[in-house]
Amino acid sequence: MQKRQVLKGLIPVALALCLPSGFAQTAPFKIGFILPMTGQSASTGRQIEAAVKLYMAQNGSTVAGRKIELIIKDDAAVADTTRRLAQELVVNDKVDVIAGFGITPTAMATAPIATQSKTPMVVTAAATSVITTASPYIVRTSFTLPQAAVSIAEWAAKNKIKRVVTLVSDYAPGIDAEKFFKSQFTAKGGQVIAEIRSPLKSPDFAPFLQKVRDEKPDAVFVFLPSGQGAAFMKQFAERGLDKSGIKLIGTGDVTDDDQLNDMGDVALGVVTSHHYSASHNTPLNKKFVAEFEAANKFRPNFMGVAGYDGMALIYKALAATKGQGGGDALIAAMKGITFESPRGMITIDPETRDVIHDMHIRKVERVGGQLYNVEFDVEKQVKDPGKAAAK
Ligand code: PHB
């Protein structure tokens, strides 16, 4: 009896000796997300925050012995604010990773901070091709506009669309979309007869839609950043363009799952290309959508899925470093990583640190009383065409 008690007393001591030194006082692993939680791009922040929290609820908040601490800051998509918040997160909070970045200017403004501090910067929204070249510490889980624009250009050229007007938001991702759509579409025999750009801030589409009408193209190709699709569709219908015979095609940002269900009949039949649809038919996506909707009462969109995958990427890289972390080690672990996302398989290109994934052609249809982007064609594992063009 006495002997047993002595033994019992020794067990915790023996266990403690087996543990790595410093185990008890291991610091938390801090992830600082900078997102537009207010302002014109607030739906992006709301989507990514919801998805990140879902990932943590499903996968726990400890990785390889490190407690994960999440910090979320609102930059309202103002680049000067993003830069200041990133500086504070790195210097004061000593975060291990920065993530988020709702629009391209906010990502570009932060890139030098990632480089100087050797802090991994996981871009889960902004989608201009050039972003990942701005720092060797940037890795992206969202997508690139050239990936989406090239796919829909190929589809259009194969589907009796000959004359197109492009209409894009007048800033970096819009310019990428315009340029890559045009080069692919004209290479396949199509013609871009006019190129129109609308302002990023609070656009009134009426004058641009009038110009589209006057040009009488077979189709109008549209890129607008997530959050502007519903306002655009409303004006498209108000001006009767949905009945004019001019087809609406675009990157999937315009038929964004966050707003699609409220767009109404005007959206029916719109064909777009993108890497994510909430109706993507896999068991993993069905589970993701069901749990996301149950927790949030809204549907995940492509921003949400990129936030979810950003967390998966960070968790996997931290686990690969056995909880040690460190900027260079985390980036090395992220390069070349492959895993299943709700969108399908994704890989981080080891050369460019950009995402490689399937690009789907989708058509808006009513399914079970709700509007969805129904995928009907796919180009497998597409690398960013923007990087190839820059070489
Ligand atoms: C961007 O600013 O890079 C951006 C924002 C929203 C999108 C796509 C790209 O839907």
Side-chain angles (χ1 to χ4, degrees):
M1 186 69 182
Q2 252 184 0
K3 210 174 177 187
R4 219 190 256 166
Q5 259 168 2
V6 172
L7 270 179
K8 256 194 190 163
L10 282 176
I11 289 170
V13 178
L15 268 179
L17 289 175
C18 294
L19 294 172
S21 61
F23 182 83
Q25 65 266 33
T26 301
F29 185 88
K30 296 186 184 177
I31 307 172
F33 268 85
I34 309 178
L35 294 168
M37 303 305 301
T38 54
Q40 193 174 277
S41 303
S43 63
T44 294
R46 182 170 56 99
Q47 280 278 343
I48 294 174
E49 179 182 30
V52 163
K53 291 191 169 160
L54 176 63
Y55 188 86
M56 292 184 75
Q58 291 173 337
N59 295 278
S61 53
T62 306
V63 177
R66 300 281 298 271
K67 182 98 190 123
I68 304 296
E69 193 178 307
L70 181 67
I71 304 174
I72 296 182
K73 300 276 182 191
D74 174 19
D75 66 358
V78 176
D80 285 342
T81 309
T82 323
R83 188 174 25 227
R84 176 177 56 74
L85 291 171
Q87 191 81 35
E88 286 171 13
L89 284 169
V90 167
V91 175
N92 303 345
D93 297 298
K94 304 203 169 21
V95 296
D96 296 279
V97 173
I98 47 177
F101 312 100
I103 64 169
T104 292
T106 67
M108 294 306 278
T110 308
I113 296 173
T115 305
Q116 283 152 24
S117 64
K118 299 183 188 288
T119 306
M121 172 169 160
V122 178
V123 175
T124 67
T128 306
S129 174
V130 74
I131 290 172
T132 45
T133 69
S135 168
Y137 290 90
I138 294 181
V139 177
R140 173 155 46 198
T141 59
S142 48
F143 75 109
T144 79
L145 263 310
Q147 286 173 326
V150 164
S151 292
I152 192 69
E154 280 171 8
W155 180 85
K158 276 193 240 147
N159 285 275
K160 301 198 179 78
I161 294 173
K162 304 245 175 301
R163 297 164 71 253
V164 167
V165 171
T166 60
L167 169 52
V168 302
S169 190
D170 190 8
Y171 78 121
I175 312 307
D176 258 6
E178 179 189 273
K179 181 172 147 199
F180 281 85
F181 178 85
K182 185 180 186 178
S183 64
Q184 193 69 10
F185 188 58
T186 52
K188 301 279 169 171
Q191 202 189 342
V192 172
I193 57 174
E195 292 164 283
I196 305 172
R197 296 178 183 177
S198 56
L200 172 60
K201 291 220 168 77
S202 316
D204 170 14
F205 299 107
F208 310 118
L209 288 170
Q210 189 55 48
K211 170 116 171 87
V212 170
R213 222 191 158 124
D214 295 345
E215 294 285 345
K216 299 191 175 58
D218 298 325
V220 54
F221 162 81
V222 177
F223 162 76
L224 296 172
S226 187
Q228 293 191 3
F232 174 80
M233 288 291 189
K234 189 163 175 277
Q235 294 191 25
F236 194 82
E238 276 167 7
R239 305 197 76 78
L241 269 108
D242 55 335
K243 312 249 163 22
S244 68
I246 299 170
K247 286 195 183 66
L248 176 55
I249 59 174
T251 65
D253 311 69
V254 74
T255 53
D256 185 345
D257 271 302
D258 192 80
Q259 300 182 324
L260 180 60
N261 226 354
D262 301 324
M263 288 181 190
D265 286 2
V266 56
L268 285 172
V270 174
V271 176
T272 58
S273 59
H274 235 203
H275 54 290
Y276 181 66
S277 165
S279 71
H280 184 59
N281 194 9
T282 60
L284 182 66
N285 187 51
K286 288 202 168 118
K287 179 175 185 293
F288 170 69
V289 173
E291 294 184 14
F292 187 103
E293 285 182 339
N296 301 292
K297 311 284 171 259
F298 55 90
R299 188 192 283 184
N301 74 355
F302 62 98
M303 294 298 190
V305 92
Y308 189 80
D309 293 342
M311 279 307 271
L313 178 67
I314 296 166
Y315 268 46
K316 287 174 195 298
L318 180 57
T321 68
K322 301 195 165 41
Q324 292 290 305
D328 289 307
L330 289 169
I331 292 292
M334 289 176 183
K335 285 183 184 173
I337 204 167
T338 298
F339 58 92
E340 190 186 358
S341 147
R343 77 186 88 173
M345 292 307 294
I346 68 171
T347 296
I348 299 299
D349 187 331
E351 280 172 43
T352 64
R353 289 161 278 101
D354 227 325
V355 61
I356 303 172
H357 49 189
D358 293 351
M359 293 305 306
H360 295 269
I361 307 292
R362 315 95 49 85
K363 186 190 242 174
V364 178
E365 289 174 17
R366 187 166 276 124
V367 182
Q370 296 198 40
L371 297 186
Y372 281 101
N373 291 294
V374 177
E375 297 172 339
F376 65 89
D377 203 357
V378 64
E379 198 179 334
K380 299 299 267 181
Q381 298 299 293
V382 178
K383 286 191 184 195
D384 175 30
K387 303 298 186 302
K391 269 186 190 163

